[in-house]
Amino acid sequence: MKFSLFAHLEAYHAEPSHRQLLVEMTELVQMAEKGGFETFWIGEHHGMGYTVAPNPFVNLAYLAEQTKTIRLGTGTVIAPFWHPIALAGEAALCDVMTNGRLDLGIARGAYTFEYERLMPGLDAMDAGARMREMVPALQKLFEGDYAHNGQYWQFPSTTPMPYPIQQPHPPMWIAARDPMSHDFAVANGCNVQVTSLTSGDAEVASLMERFNKACADHPEIPRPEIMMLMHTYVAETEEELTQG
């Protein structure tokens, strides 16, 4: 089992400043690296103080200069808000800046709040369809000389620049919940990110069942990795825990 850290700048009040929050997050990532954590993950969110990360690649490129070994991942970029060529180029540049430490996590998005502001009229079904068109297109773009004529995007033969250090591309992860999204991720050779939310061990077991079934349904695909996000509170004393 590997341990990773998922965090954002989290601004609940006017103080501390966003600059101070960045300093604190940087220190946290450096602590995780010293502690042997595998990866630091940061998501993409817009217009919300709870998760300040309008472009996770900027955060990761900055953190690459503050760290040496810990991998740096998008957990996740929101597929409908990106053009495939732009996402391939940004991801590859970030892989260069991190010296091959990037993991690329992709999701359909989870907040209607953001859909309403960035793509009015978008709903979860359409967002999911856009993600399912995006992922194979990205994989082919990383190979280079790829033209696309899909439902949501059309473009002539293109090779994004720069080339990523990791070949054929950085490891790709899909945020999955329902059985169809697990199946899609595995069928496309992607690792899987899941979140157990608040239902306890039963939900953990259910998510693993969906993942295992997807793997069994695609024996031709090497078994991918699965990562589970669980909210965690670390206290210095037992008393602090009971008071929380």
Side-chain angles (χ1 to χ4, degrees):
M1 182 183 295
K2 299 176 182 179
F3 289 90
S4 295
L5 173 68
F6 181 88
H8 294 91
L9 277 68
E10 299 180 6
Y12 297 97
H13 308 286
E15 295 293 337
S17 69
H18 287 176
R19 176 63 193 180
Q20 180 59 32
L21 292 174
L22 176 62
V23 170
E24 293 174 0
M25 185 181 74
T26 303
E27 292 174 349
L28 184 61
V29 175
Q30 290 170 334
M31 289 171 61
E33 180 177 67
K34 289 178 182 178
F37 278 50
E38 176 76 8
T39 308
F40 168 71
W41 299 90
I42 190 165
E44 174 186 358
H45 290 293
H46 301 274
M48 295 187 290
Y50 171 61
T51 49
V52 181
N55 185 332
F57 296 117
V58 174
N59 301 65
L60 298 181
Y62 164 77
L63 288 168
E65 294 302 308
Q66 315 301 317
T67 58
K68 294 181 175 64
T69 58
I70 193 168
R71 293 189 63 80
L72 301 163
T74 61
T76 52
V77 293
I78 303 174
F81 300 161
W82 289 83
H83 189 285
I85 297 173
L87 181 53
E90 290 269 12
L93 180 59
C94 190
D95 196 50
V96 171
M97 290 182 167
T98 62
N99 196 24
R101 287 190 278 155
L102 177 69
D103 280 70
L104 179 59
I106 304 171
R108 71 178 188 182
Y111 294 106
T112 301
F113 176 93
E114 292 175 306
Y115 292 165
E116 290 173 345
R117 285 156 178 78
L118 273 73
M119 295 187 69
L122 182 70
D123 60 22
M125 290 292 290
D126 190 36
R130 286 172 178 267
M131 184 192 73
R132 289 188 291 275
E133 183 175 327
M134 168 77 78
V135 169
L138 268 179
Q139 292 170 332
K140 292 171 183 173
L141 276 167
F142 281 124
E143 295 175 5
D145 194 23
Y146 171 66
H148 185 78
N149 185 23
Q151 179 179 355
Y152 298 104
W153 297 283
Q154 302 82 38
F155 50 84
S157 182
T158 304
T159 300
M161 290 289 160
Y163 300 117
I165 289 178
Q166 300 176 95
Q167 289 293 319
H169 52 72
M172 293 178 66
W173 299 73
I174 302 297
R177 244 194 118 62
D178 61 81
M180 184 173 69
S181 55
H182 280 262
D183 186 84
F184 171 80
V186 174
N188 284 274
C190 297
N191 299 317
V192 174
Q193 297 173 322
V194 297
T195 304
S196 62
L197 298 178
T198 59
S199 298
D201 292 345
E203 186 171 16
V204 174
S206 176
L207 289 166
M208 283 304 303
E209 287 174 4
R210 297 170 207 176
F211 175 71
N212 286 330
K213 183 180 186 307
C215 292
D217 288 344
H218 296 281
E220 76 284 2
I221 303 295
R223 184 180 176 88
E225 295 184 8
I226 184 169
M227 175 183 71
M228 179 164 292
L229 171 64
M230 301 188 74
H231 296 283
T232 305
Y233 182 83
V234 179
E236 292 186 354
T237 65
E238 289 286 340
E239 181 181 12
E240 185 181 349
L241 284 174
T242 57
Q243 289 177 348

